[in-house]
Amino acid sequence: MSVNTLPPVRYSLDVIQDEVRRLVQKGVISRQQPIYTLCQFIPPREWVCLEGELEKCDFLLRDRIGDLLGHEEWDND
C-alpha cells in the first residue's frame, strides 16, 4: 500500500514578510507581538517550514513581528 503525501510548502522570507505585513495592516496582529503569534494563522504542517525559514534567516520565535518587518516607508508623515 502506497501513501501519497504532499511535498512540504516552501516559504521565502519575502512571502512571510508580505503575509505578516497584510495581517498587521488589517489589524489582526500588532508589530509588538512575538513572531510565534503567527502560528495561530498558519496550519501546523506549514508552520514547520515557516519556522525553519525564519531560523535560517536568524529570527527567533520570541522576536517581535516588527523586527521581522524591518524598515517600512510611510506615505503620510
Side-chain angles (χ1 to χ4, degrees), residues 16-28:
I16 296 168
Q17 289 171 323
D18 289 344
E19 185 63 23
V20 170
R21 193 168 286 113
R22 188 180 65 77
L23 290 170
V24 169
Q25 288 172 349
K26 286 176 124 181
V28 177

Side-chain angles (χ1 to χ4, degrees), residues 8-9 17 22 30-31 35-36 38 52-53 61 66 69-71 75-76:
V9 176
Q17 289 171 323
R22 188 180 65 77
S30 77
R31 296 174 59 86
I35 291 173
Y36 67 77
L38 299 174
E53 181 66 20
L61 296 181
L69 295 178
H71 176 71
D75 294 336
N76 55 352

Side-chain angles (χ1 to χ4, degrees), residues 33-76:
Q33 290 178 285
I35 291 173
Y36 67 77
T37 303
L38 299 174
C39 72
Q40 299 172 28
F41 306 97
I42 308 291
R45 178 183 181 141
E46 295 177 17
W47 176 254
V48 174
C49 300
L50 184 135
E51 186 177 2
E53 181 66 20
L54 291 172
E55 287 176 2
K56 187 173 85 175
C57 296
D58 294 324
F59 286 101
L60 301 173
L61 296 181
R62 66 176 180 251
D63 291 344
R64 301 289 171 209
I65 288 174
D67 296 335
L68 178 61
L69 295 178
H71 176 71
E72 294 184 283
E73 296 291 325
W74 295 91
D75 294 336
N76 55 352

